[in-house]
Amino acid sequence: MSQTAHGSSPHLVRRIGVTVSYVICLVGSMIGVGVFGGTPISEAAGGLLSTDATHLAPASPAFSVWTLIYVALGAYTLWQWWDRRDPRGIGWWVALSLLLNAAWILSVQADLIWVSVGVIAVLLVVLARTFATLLGTRPRSTAEAAVADGTVGLYLGWVSVATCANVAAALAGAGFTGGGYPEVWAVAVLVVVAAIGVTLAVVGRGRLAVAATLTWGLAWIAVARTDEPYSMGVAVVAGVAAAVVALSALGLRLRAERVPT
């Protein structure tokens, strides 16, 4: 009895750790939208993360995706209490991503824009590591595929786009103008993001969650560039990038489903 209890103790600590991290993340998100008197993210750091701050800033409706991501993370938090043993070993990685999420919001609130770049870069690495871990083992059920693989995919896809926007904001705050050609730099970054999206589709064998939020973010960058700062070139490239990522994932998913396992 004592051996069983002792053996389950690390799993209990992990479940509690994920849950506490999720609560901290939720509180941080509420601070980020001004619920507790904090400055909304779009107005913090001198407005560097607002829709019209850079050529890589998505339009404001894009950020509604966080509602879906937080709901999905909540579903994962609840599910891991039922799953108990975390055989695929992602629990602590998810907990770390939740704490980094909160740290990013607080750093922006404190006008520490370059600190926020460092935080979101680490968050991106953590999510990529978690995504790679999930690719190494198949989900044991449809529920696990949704709350584990699906949640991490949604999270990773959006943070990939958000990282680019964050770096662009920090550079703008430092006075970098791309040598007078900010649109050229924006197009180059969008091409890289599209390449990353296609790569994730290939290694993920057409996993749709990561492609969905990547496509979402790119599409809203396209929409945003029909307004200030206006750039039809960036809008077109962002739209094409969104289509390439979406079609790559869909094509690979259909191909994977036709191949017998």
Side-chain angles (χ1 to χ4, degrees):
M1 179 77 70
S2 60
Q3 183 176 0
T4 302
H6 177 73
S8 65
S9 178
H11 298 296
L12 177 60
V13 171
R14 170 187 47 77
R15 293 196 296 272
I16 293 172
V18 171
T19 304
V20 171
S21 299
Y22 180 64
V23 172
I24 292 172
C25 180
L26 281 184
V27 172
S29 70
M30 287 187 278
I31 292 173
V33 297
V35 171
F36 297 135
T39 305
I41 294 297
S42 61
E43 300 173 14
L48 288 172
L49 294 169
S50 61
T51 299
D52 59 358
T54 72
H55 284 83
L56 291 174
S60 56
F63 299 96
S64 63
V65 74
W66 275 117
T67 300
L68 174 62
I69 293 172
Y70 286 137
V71 168
L73 286 166
Y76 172 79
T77 300
L78 292 173
W79 175 81
Q80 54 110 34
W81 280 95
W82 175 82
D83 182 60
R84 292 178 179 272
R85 288 197 166 279
D86 186 31
R88 299 169 81 189
I90 67 166
W92 284 115
W93 290 106
V94 173
L96 178 57
S97 77
L98 292 165
L99 294 176
L100 286 167
N101 191 321
W104 181 85
I105 292 170
L106 293 175
S107 63
V108 173
Q109 291 282 327
D111 294 337
L112 300 172
I113 191 68
W114 280 107
V115 172
S116 75
V117 169
V119 173
I120 202 170
V122 175
L123 173 58
L124 184 61
V125 170
V126 167
L127 291 174
R129 168 67 171 75
T130 310
F131 185 74
T133 298
L134 291 173
L135 291 179
T137 53
R138 294 175 64 87
R140 293 158 297 155
S141 65
T142 301
E144 182 178 0
V147 300
D149 301 68
T151 295
V152 171
L154 291 172
Y155 203 179
L156 173 61
W158 174 252
V159 170
S160 298
V161 175
T163 300
C164 297
N166 200 167
V167 172
L171 289 172
F176 178 73
T177 61
Y181 300 98
E183 297 175 61
V184 174
W185 285 88
V187 166
V189 170
L190 290 169
V191 171
V192 172
V193 173
I196 291 172
V198 172
T199 301
L200 289 172
V202 172
V203 300
R205 297 177 293 278
R207 298 204 175 193
L208 299 180
V210 63
T213 45
L214 256 170
T215 300
W216 174 267
L218 289 168
W220 281 109
I221 290 175
V223 171
R225 294 296 67 78
T226 61
D227 202 345
E228 294 300 326
Y230 176 83
S231 174
M232 186 52 64
V234 174
V236 169
V237 172
V240 171
V244 167
V245 172
L247 292 174
S248 297
L250 286 170
L252 287 163
R253 180 59 175 265
L254 291 173
R255 180 181 177 184
E257 290 180 350
R258 285 197 297 266
V259 175
T261 56

